[in-house]
Amino acid sequence: MTSAWLALAVTTAIQSLVSMAVLTLPVMAPAVAQALGTSATYTGLYVALVYVGAIFASLSAGNAVARFGAIRVSQGGLVLCAAGLALSALPSLPAIAAGALLIGLGYGPITPASSHLLVRTTPAHRMSVVFSIKQTGVPLGGVLAGAIVPGLMLWVGWQAALLFVAAANLVCAAVAQPLRAGLDADRDPATRLALGNLAGPLRLVLSYPALRMLAACSFAFSITQLSFTSYLVTYLDAALAYGLVTAGIAMSLAQLGGVGGRVFWGYVSDRWLGARRMLTTLSLLMTAAALATALLHPGLPVPLVMAVLVVFGASAIGWNGIYLAEVARRAPAGQAGLATGGTLAFTFFGVVLGPPLFGALSGLAGSYRAGFLALAVVTGLCTVALARAHRLLPST
């Protein structure tokens, strides 16, 4: 039991720091864009580059974890994120693009590594809630980014803010070192690393109908999640005139909704609804929240706006733990990390496509409202597909 809680604590902390790394530049996007003489709508391209790197890293993570151990792979991810943040601090668009790719290479293997650890230490009947608790690291990273980074940027500048988060990632990697021997005891140094192995996780996912359905579901949900978190601050600043600090606080509240949602939905899934019904319910909530967000205007009471965003965060950020736990359940014995890496490739592909399309559509329409309306359509279609998928994704 001690090892189970230790594994959960360390994987959650690591997830928080790499998630903060991904969102640090997007929460400063208007100010960074102004400093560089470009448009904040290109935030979507930055996020896309992050997840291009993450796709490659997630596909290679299964064999890397088997060879080096989950903690060592996670430490490497933290170091890569720190390097990417430092590179992004250079006042150059090519440097920022290269930094985004490095952050993605660091972010991609974190979830397969944590799944490898948690599936070894978690009882089957607690899988959804434990994986959901671990996945609170993603919105916790968003909370840290929204609450700390805008104020830090105003105090020391956007470049120093990036370096501060880079240093925090390096500290986390150092703190994890004493745990490495115990938690990486199952590593096999004889495991081969080869480019040909990258297709293995995809073949595994495509071979199992339930895994295919989960991967498709995550593709649509990731479009919604990352578009929401990448553009929320910019949307509130441009459409509701909230200012960066207030908009950052709003994003923190939405991320806190995701933190609470991940744990609550995981408990409800394990206790009552099962994975399929829970995912269908969350998809419906995303649809309603995206539509409500598109209809926000400056005359609405601030508490009402915040409530809408908390619901959006609870659903659009709250689905991942249930999804990952279900992937681990459906994976063949001993292949949870490999299956997670394969399904995450589809998840990250949605991220690659989603935010740039959101930004392009919003730019063409002259309003970010059009982007949120498109998210409502995407999640609405996903709700229908999930509701009809009784045979492929039965309740568990």
Side-chain angles (χ1 to χ4, degrees), residues 58-69 73 188 191-194 196-198 200-201 337-338:
S58 69
L59 289 174
S60 62
N63 287 312
V65 167
R67 177 167 179 168
F68 301 110
V73 168
D188 179 9
T191 301
R192 293 183 58 194
L193 300 178
N197 292 336
L198 295 180
L338 203 65

Side-chain angles (χ1 to χ4, degrees), residues 20-45:
M20 186 181 185
V22 171
L23 290 173
T24 293
L25 193 140
V27 302
M28 301 187 295
V32 176
Q34 184 177 19
L36 298 178
T38 188
S39 170
T41 59
Y42 290 117
T43 303
L45 290 176

Side-chain angles (χ1 to χ4, degrees), residues 15 23 33 80 110 126 220 296-297 368 376:
Q15 187 73 68
L23 290 173
L80 284 170
I110 299 301
R126 294 179 183 169
L296 295 178
H297 59 82
Y368 291 103

Side-chain angles (χ1 to χ4, degrees), residues 133-299:
I133 290 172
K134 178 264 165 183
Q135 282 303 113
T136 61
V138 175
L140 279 174
V143 170
L144 293 172
I148 295 173
V149 172
L152 190 63
M153 177 198 67
L154 294 176
W155 180 34
V156 296
W158 66 272
Q159 292 162 298
L162 285 164
L163 295 177
F164 175 87
V165 180
N169 274 258
L170 292 177
V171 169
C172 186
V175 169
Q177 178 58 30
L179 308 175
R180 200 251 169 163
L183 294 180
D184 282 356
D186 66 332
R187 66 187 182 276
D188 179 9
T191 301
R192 293 183 58 194
L193 300 178
L195 288 176
N197 292 336
L198 295 180
L202 295 177
R203 284 197 298 267
L204 176 65
V205 170
L206 295 176
S207 298
Y208 290 84
L211 291 178
R212 288 201 303 268
M213 184 63 200
L214 287 164
C217 172
S218 76
F219 173 78
F221 288 176
S222 65
I223 288 174
T224 303
Q225 179 179 341
L226 266 293
S227 296
F228 173 60
T229 56
S230 298
Y231 282 99
L232 178 60
V233 170
T234 303
Y235 173 59
L236 294 176
D237 180 57
L240 275 67
Y242 273 13
L244 287 182
V245 173
T246 302
I249 292 171
M251 193 186 87
S252 291
L253 289 174
Q255 296 281 358
L256 282 173
V259 172
R262 290 191 179 203
V263 178
F264 180 71
W265 307 136
Y267 178 78
V268 172
S269 177
D270 278 343
R271 182 84 175 180
W272 292 297
L273 291 185
R276 180 185 57 78
R277 290 191 181 91
M278 192 72 258
L279 289 171
T280 305
T281 301
L282 290 175
S283 185
L284 183 61
L285 280 175
M286 285 184 231
T287 303
L291 182 59
T293 301
L295 299 176
L296 295 178
H297 59 82

Side-chain angles (χ1 to χ4, degrees), residues 8-26:
L8 179 58
V10 70
T11 53
T12 303
I14 291 169
Q15 187 73 68
S16 298
L17 266 296
V18 297
S19 297
M20 186 181 185
V22 171
L23 290 173
T24 293
L25 193 140

Side-chain angles (χ1 to χ4, degrees), residues 293-308:
T293 301
L295 299 176
L296 295 178
H297 59 82
L300 290 174
V302 172
L304 178 60
V305 173
M306 298 298 179
V308 169

